[in-house]
Amino acid sequence: GVGKTALVRYVYHAKRIKDHFDLLIWVCVSTNFDVVGLTLQILDHVREDRPYEKKCSLNKLQEILQENIRNKRFLLVMDDMWEEKDRGGWIKLLAPLKSNKVKGCMVLATTRTKSVAKMIGTMDEITLSGLDEKEFWLFFKACAFRNDNRE
């Protein structure tokens, strides 16, 4: 509720980012960290056609993913991660992505919980805090009343 997704969406759509990466991938994770489901979501961004079935095994899906990201620089946004208990699932999900030898690939995750940031653990988390009450009130009045100076 402090603007994590909004900030990442702004970055994701920036021209500089689009020019830097060959593939832009956005998946919403939420409370259900399902490796197969997330792999399918990633594949939907990577391939326009679907030569794979939802019934494919995780291994087959990851082979297809690995093949389609080879030699491509990608940005993967994992939005709204909640699950920190399944480190093994996180490692499985990233396995085909880590095999890509192109420098500059990036995985960016948003989360509400420090435990998820700690589980991901590739760098220090960046904590966003909300506006203080005075700044929020000024912002609210500017949005609600535009340029009118109403008390």
Side-chain angles (χ1 to χ4, degrees):
V2 297
K4 298 174 293 295
T5 297
L7 176 61
V8 173
R9 192 171 284 132
Y10 176 80
V11 170
Y12 184 85
H13 290 291
K15 181 179 179 351
R16 190 168 145 200
I17 297 299
K18 289 179 179 180
D19 291 344
H20 181 75
F21 294 100
D22 301 313
L23 293 171
L24 295 174
I25 306 161
W26 184 292
V27 295
C28 186
V29 181
S30 236
T31 56
N32 185 17
F33 190 91
D34 170 27
V35 178
V36 173
L38 292 170
T39 303
L40 283 166
Q41 282 187 59
I42 293 168
L43 275 168
D44 284 345
H45 286 276
V46 172
R47 292 195 59 131
E48 290 188 19
D49 61 331
R50 288 185 131 210
Y52 48 88
E53 297 279 331
K54 289 190 177 188
K55 297 175 186 173
C56 281
S57 69
L58 177 60
N59 286 343
K60 182 63 178 169
L61 291 172
Q62 288 191 322
E63 284 175 19
I64 295 167
L65 177 58
Q66 188 173 6
E67 184 181 304
N68 284 275
I69 63 167
R70 186 172 290 126
N71 301 321
K72 293 181 182 170
R73 185 179 300 137
F74 62 84
L75 167 63
L76 168 60
V77 174
M78 305 285 292
D79 188 35
D80 199 23
M81 282 185 64
W82 286 58
E83 182 64 52
E84 78 278 354
K85 296 174 188 89
D86 190 7
R87 177 128 176 97
W90 175 247
I91 292 168
K92 277 184 195 172
L93 179 68
L94 294 183
L97 303 173
K98 285 186 171 189
S99 69
N100 190 346
K101 301 301 180 204
V102 176
K103 292 190 183 233
C105 294
M106 184 71 56
V107 176
L108 192 153
T110 67
T111 182
R112 300 169 189 223
T113 62
K114 286 188 179 276
S115 57
V116 169
K118 187 175 181 176
M119 179 198 69
I120 294 168
T122 56
M123 63 177 278
D124 293 337
E125 78 260 11
I126 299 169
T127 304
L128 298 180
S129 57
L131 298 173
D132 70 27
E133 191 173 326
K134 183 180 177 184
E135 288 171 332
F136 177 80
W137 185 239
L138 290 172
F139 178 67
F140 175 79
K141 287 195 299 188
C143 290
F145 303 116
R146 299 206 173 125
N147 292 331
D148 297 343
N149 202 359
R150 299 183 185 176
E151 288 302 316

